[in-house]
């Protein structure tokens, strides 16, 4: 993969300002892309785009292939004549947070109404486009739409009975859990309208995403997508392809994903995701995986693969365990999967030609590094980890791989990720030793309030001094790509953190305030980009 020296921003579409309670794929996102271009940025990194379920995490979608229907722009549907503009007036949602429950209750009926209107009033050429989409995407769309329609029906039934909905394999009739042909056909007939609605909503998403990608391309911006290695247990992926996962005869999980006990978590971490039966995947030539990665590469220009180390080895924990202490390491597919992908994707060449970033964080062994480097994938360097004693066992050590002087060119540097605190939030909670080490390494001063202040004149005075110091360090590093979370560009504190791992509630809800990334900040970022040789003509 060609990696010119450029920079970009990490910001999920849902966090972009707009009138509908959460960001979408409409005019506000197109305006944001134009602001990125004005700031000299060439990369827009996002989180996974799949439809979110319980907990609202984009890393636990109902499908690895589908788009999140909530990201469909009502403004664009109204412009197409599928909604009355009066229906989508500002509903008074908060501007700084996403209230998913309220947004879903308000937006879902409007989306369903637009889908019904499409079938009534859409021009013939639009219906031809829909039929083409349904044919191209049938390999995943048929099962996804059926899964969501059945799930909606049984969730509604559970609600009437005063029970909460649960995962499909715990409360659906056994014949549906086991995908018996007669039962599936009966559901297709029974829920035909709901199934078609989901298909049309996926068509809306695909059309609007294509338009968004076209705008980005015209501005010289590449979109960096995100592919979680694991699927959600409550997903069409698991339901429609049980043979590819480690399940019992009743489609229950036998083992789940996690990480072992370490210095930071004495009991380890239980993620709860289904684990792959890699031998079964190998026997089918990794066809499902190839389809999944190729779909991600069609949707995005570049694809970050989350938890890349799991392809070398993964940690398996018995289902139902209270913690991860009883888990064991198992071998992953290694480069065999990626060699199969290269053969299917291009027929020749090497994996290094694929536009893939390896998320090589966590417990990284020599085997993981050999796999990453052998495939030629760039890895990630998190600047915050260079100074955080709680995140790195080698903090304050000149050999720490997260320190900029240890970076290779073939890498992507971040001030932080979606799982980190913001730089300002981290600094305000950092220990005296961490602050002192940061000050000495970066060559900056500390004022009486223990804030970082740059010795030289500041380039980004509209942001927080410590945020600017970290952005500057990332930008001037030798790493070919530098990606900065928008919260750090804005100099925001812990209140703007988007996710705290291993917690429920309050995550994924942050939104950028209207006008937050204004012309002043864009100009400052452009100058930082130019100064450190990342501005491309």
């Amino acid at each position: 993969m060609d990696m010119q020296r450029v920079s970009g921003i990490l910001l999920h579409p849902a966090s972009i300002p707009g009138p509908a309670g959460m960001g979408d794929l409409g005019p506000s996102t197109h305006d944001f892309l134009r602001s990125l271009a004005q700031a000299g940025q060439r990369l827009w990194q996002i989180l996974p785009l799949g439809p979110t379920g319980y907990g609202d995490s984009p890393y636990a979608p109902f499908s690895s292939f589908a788009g999140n229907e909530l990201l469909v722009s009502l403004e664009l549907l109204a412009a197409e004549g599928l909604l009355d503009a009066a229906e989508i007036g500002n509903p008074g949602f908060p501007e700084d947070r996403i209230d998913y429950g309220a947004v879903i209750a308000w937006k879902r009926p409007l989306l369903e109404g637009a889908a019904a209107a499409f079938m009534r009033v859409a021009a013939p050429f639009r219906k031809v486009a829909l039929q083409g989409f349904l044919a191209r995407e049938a390999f995943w769309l048929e099962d996804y739409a059926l899964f969501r329609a059945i799930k909606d029906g049984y969730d509604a039934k559970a609600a009437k009975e005063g029970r909460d909905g649960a995962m499909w394999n715990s409360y659906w009739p056994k014949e549906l859990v086991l995908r018996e042909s007669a039962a599936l056909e009966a559901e297709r007939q029974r829920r035909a309208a709901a199934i078609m609605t989901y298909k049309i909503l996926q068509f809306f998403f695909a059309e609007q995403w294509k338009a968004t990608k076209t705008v980005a391309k015209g501005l010289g911006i590449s979109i960096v997508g995100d592919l979680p290695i694991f699927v959600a247990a409550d997903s069409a992926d698991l339901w429609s392809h049980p043979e590819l996962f480690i399940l019992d005869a009743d489609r229950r999980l036998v083992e789940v994903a996690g990480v072992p006990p370490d210095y930071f978590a004495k009991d380890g971490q239980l993620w709860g995701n289904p684990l792959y039966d890699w031998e079964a995947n190998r026997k089918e030539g990794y066809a499902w995986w190839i389809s999944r990665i190729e779909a991600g590469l069609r949707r995005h220009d570049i694809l970050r693969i989350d938890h890349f180390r799991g392809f070398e080895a993964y940690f398996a924990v018995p289902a139902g365990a209270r913690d991860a202490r009883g888990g064991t390491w198992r071998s992953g597919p290694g480069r065999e999967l990626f060699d199969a992908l290269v053969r299917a994707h291009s027929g020749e060449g090497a994996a290094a030609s694929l536009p893939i970033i390896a998320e090589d964080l966590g417990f990284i062994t020599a085997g993981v590094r050999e796999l990453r480097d052998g495939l030629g994938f760039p890895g990630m360097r998190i600047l915050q980890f260079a100074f955080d004693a709680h995140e790195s066992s080698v903090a304050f050590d000149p050999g720490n791989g997260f320190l900029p002087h240890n970076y290779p060119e073939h890498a992507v540097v971040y001030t932080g990720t979606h799982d980190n605190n913001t730089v300002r939030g981290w600094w305000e909670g950092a220990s005296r030793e961490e602050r002192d080490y940061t000050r000495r390494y970066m060559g900056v001063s500390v004022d009486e309030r223990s804030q970082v202040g740059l010795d030289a004149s500041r380039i980004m005075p509209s942001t927080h001094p410590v945020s600017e110091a970290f952005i500057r360090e990332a930008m001037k590093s030798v790493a070919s790509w530098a990606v900065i979370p928008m919260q750090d560009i804005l100099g925001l504190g812990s209140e703007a953190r988007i996710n705290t791992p291993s917690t429920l509630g309050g995550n994924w809800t942050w939104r950028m305030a209207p006008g937050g990334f204004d012309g002043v900040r864009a100009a400052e970022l452009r100058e930082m980009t130019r100064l450190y040789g990342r501005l491309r003509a």
Side-chain angles (χ1 to χ4, degrees):
M1 177 171 60
D2 178 34
M3 294 183 69
Q4 287 186 306
R5 185 174 172 81
V6 296
S7 60
I9 296 295
L10 170 59
L11 182 70
H12 195 51
S15 297
I16 293 174
M22 63 181 287
D24 56 36
L25 303 180
S28 296
T29 291
H30 298 178
D31 289 344
F32 165 72
L33 286 168
R34 284 185 276 271
S35 296
L36 272 193
Q38 291 170 5
Q41 304 309 293
R42 290 303 187 98
L43 302 171
W44 176 32
Q45 183 162 334
I46 61 177
L47 305 182
L49 289 171
T52 57
Y54 177 73
D56 308 309
S57 170
Y59 291 89
F62 287 128
S63 167
S64 294
F65 297 88
N68 189 344
E69 296 91 354
L70 292 176
L71 292 175
V72 171
S73 166
L74 299 179
E75 291 177 86
L76 295 183
L77 296 182
E80 194 175 346
L82 302 178
L83 288 172
D84 186 333
E87 294 181 274
I88 61 172
N90 193 330
F93 292 119
E95 293 183 334
D96 61 341
R97 292 280 164 185
I98 303 170
D99 183 341
Y100 281 100
V103 169
I104 291 169
W106 173 76
K107 191 168 185 177
R108 280 305 300 257
L110 294 172
L111 290 171
E112 291 167 1
F118 182 89
M119 295 305 294
R120 292 194 312 270
V121 306
F125 78 93
R126 294 290 289 145
K127 291 185 178 179
V128 169
L130 171 64
Q131 292 306 314
F133 170 78
L134 297 182
R136 287 192 306 275
E137 307 299 329
F139 72 97
W140 64 266
L141 184 57
E142 292 291 337
D143 280 319
Y144 169 72
L146 179 59
F147 175 84
R148 291 297 304 273
I150 296 173
K151 183 172 177 59
D152 287 348
Y154 281 97
D155 281 355
K157 181 176 183 293
K160 287 181 180 179
E161 296 171 353
R163 299 183 291 110
D164 291 332
M167 287 198 299
W168 58 274
N169 57 8
S170 65
Y171 72 117
W172 289 10
K174 186 174 183 179
E175 59 270 22
L176 291 179
V177 169
L178 299 180
R179 294 179 58 85
E180 294 179 5
S181 298
L184 294 184
E185 184 56 32
E187 290 294 327
R188 290 189 189 99
Q189 298 295 325
R190 179 185 180 191
R191 307 186 192 277
I195 291 169
M196 180 54 72
T197 294
Y198 272 110
K199 291 179 178 180
I200 295 173
L201 293 183
Q202 285 303 306
F203 173 67
F204 290 162
F205 176 91
E207 293 271 291
Q208 293 188 8
W209 180 253
K210 181 179 179 181
T212 298
K213 192 175 179 183
T214 298
V215 171
K217 183 177 181 180
L219 295 168
I221 296 171
S222 296
I223 299 176
V224 182
D226 199 324
L227 184 81
I229 186 173
F230 296 118
V231 305
D234 197 18
S235 70
D237 302 303
L238 189 66
W239 177 63
S240 61
H241 292 282
E243 72 281 1
L244 302 180
F245 299 87
I246 301 175
L247 304 173
D248 66 17
D250 294 321
R251 305 293 197 260
R252 303 295 182 104
L253 305 184
V254 176
E255 295 177 316
V256 298
V259 291
D262 57 19
Y263 176 79
F264 313 108
K266 63 181 179 63
D267 293 329
Q269 295 181 45
L270 270 178
W271 295 340
N273 302 84
L275 292 175
Y276 298 101
D277 182 335
W278 283 118
E279 178 60 21
N281 279 267
R282 185 190 66 79
K283 287 180 179 178
E284 67 144 28
Y286 300 105
W288 180 83
W289 260 102
I290 291 170
S291 295
R292 187 182 183 212
I293 295 177
E294 286 192 328
L297 291 173
R298 286 193 299 271
R299 181 172 284 173
H300 313 93
D301 301 298
I302 302 151
L303 196 60
R304 187 195 87 121
I305 298 185
D306 192 49
H307 198 60
F308 178 81
R309 74 104 48 245
F311 293 106
E312 193 272 337
Y314 61 94
F315 198 67
V317 182
R322 299 184 61 181
D323 55 51
R325 289 180 295 178
T328 56
W329 285 104
R330 305 273 177 77
S331 295
R335 70 171 298 145
E336 184 181 65
L337 184 156
F338 294 96
D339 288 340
L341 172 65
V342 170
R343 290 193 296 271
H345 189 70
S346 60
E348 57 184 21
S353 65
L354 296 173
I356 288 175
I357 298 169
E359 187 271 283
D360 52 347
L361 307 176
F363 179 63
I364 304 303
T365 64
V368 179
R369 289 189 287 270
E370 289 172 7
L371 178 62
R372 178 200 64 201
D373 296 342
L375 293 167
F377 296 160
M380 296 173 57
R381 300 294 183 270
I382 312 303
L383 188 55
Q384 204 177 113
F385 289 172
F387 308 104
D388 191 328
H390 297 288
E391 293 286 357
S392 174
S393 60
V394 292
F396 314 147
D397 181 339
N400 184 340
F402 293 109
L403 287 167
H405 68 260
N406 292 318
Y407 294 173
E409 284 188 44
H410 195 59
V412 189
V413 59
Y414 300 78
T415 52
T417 74
H418 62 276
D419 283 335
N420 288 87
N421 204 339
T422 66
V423 165
R424 180 177 177 177
W426 171 80
W427 177 261
E428 290 172 348
S431 68
R432 183 174 181 178
E433 292 77 14
E434 289 167 332
R435 291 183 178 184
D436 181 63
Y437 186 63
T438 303
R439 174 189 61 78
R440 290 186 290 113
Y441 185 90
M442 292 188 180
V444 295
S445 62
V446 179
D447 65 19
E448 66 277 4
R449 294 169 298 169
S450 296
Q451 291 183 340
V452 165
L454 302 180
D455 292 332
S457 60
R458 295 195 44 204
I459 302 169
M460 303 179 71
S462 70
T463 194
H464 191 269
V466 70
S467 301
E468 177 178 341
F470 272 69
I471 295 168
R472 182 194 290 259
E473 202 69 32
M475 285 285 199
K476 72 183 183 185
S477 76
V478 299
S480 295
W481 290 354
V483 177
I484 314 300
M486 179 57 78
Q487 295 95 316
D488 292 340
I489 297 294
L490 303 180
L492 300 177
S494 297
E495 75 285 352
R497 181 170 186 164
I498 198 164
N499 181 52
T500 302
S502 301
T503 66
L504 284 175
N507 292 321
W508 317 111
T509 65
W510 176 79
R511 293 186 76 196
M512 180 169 65
F517 188 53
D518 57 15
V520 171
R521 284 193 165 92
E524 292 173 354
L525 181 57
R526 184 181 184 89
E527 173 57 17
M528 180 83 80
T529 306
R530 184 201 64 78
L531 182 66
Y532 294 118
R534 298 184 183 274
L535 190 65
R536 302 266 73 85

